[in-house]
Amino acid sequence: MLKGSCCCGTVQFEVEAAPTMLGTCHCSRCRKVGASTFAFVAREHFHLLEGEGSIATYAPEEGYLYARDFCSKCGSALGEMTGTSQSFPVPANCFDDPLDLTVAFHEFVDEKPAWLPICDDAKQFARHPEQP
Ligand SMILES: [Zn+2]
Ligand SMILES: [Zn+2]
């Protein structure tokens, strides 16, 4: 069981089974919401313990697939906790317990700013991993 929370602690969650993959997205949207490295969590293993009423959602604009949840008190990005997909991203930096994983891939490398060098050997994709 892994625990996680937002910066102010209002939102608390736990994940029954450790995530099996980490990925870093370099798109401008992830960069601006302040979360780029995500753990992919199965919906059935995810439990929101506290703070549901404090989660706000930024719905995707036309042409984008993914919504972004965040804590309405402290602004922490929370991935897509309130969505309906079977597997969804939770920002790696929301976990309080250590994740025994390293980043498996980088996506949207085409949008990566020059000030953020990639310092590992993980696979890189110009956009989504399906379109290397
Ligand atoms: Zn918070
Ligand atoms: Zn992104």
Side-chain angles (χ1 to χ4, degrees):
M1 193 78 84
L2 295 173
K3 296 225 181 238
S5 58
C6 65
C7 175
C8 74
T10 298
V11 177
Q12 304 271 347
F13 65 88
E14 64 185 18
V15 175
E16 274 175 51
T20 54
M21 190 171 56
L22 276 187
T24 296
C25 183
H26 297 277
C27 83
S28 61
R29 300 171 74 229
C30 290
R31 186 163 71 243
K32 289 189 178 186
V33 302
S36 293
T37 297
F38 297 96
F40 291 86
V41 169
R43 179 78 52 193
E44 60 189 352
H45 294 147
F46 178 81
H47 304 288
L48 190 58
L49 303 175
E50 281 182 52
E52 188 166 9
S54 296
I55 296 177
T57 300
Y58 167 52
E61 288 167 36
E62 190 85 34
Y64 288 100
L65 291 175
Y66 304 111
R68 289 287 177 254
D69 291 334
F70 57 95
C71 172
S72 60
K73 294 189 176 160
C74 70
S76 294
L78 297 170
E80 291 173 65
M81 289 180 184
T82 62
T84 53
S85 44
Q86 275 309 302
S87 170
F88 64 101
V90 174
N93 48 10
C94 284
F95 283 87
D96 294 309
D97 289 319
L99 293 173
D100 189 19
L101 291 170
T102 56
V103 168
F105 66 89
H106 296 269
E107 65 174 10
F108 283 87
V109 170
D110 274 4
E111 295 185 26
K112 186 182 76 59
W115 50 255
L116 184 67
I118 291 176
C119 303
D120 60 40
D121 297 325
K123 260 190 136 163
Q124 297 184 19
F125 299 94
R127 292 180 60 77
H128 286 300
E130 304 80 54
Q131 310 159 297

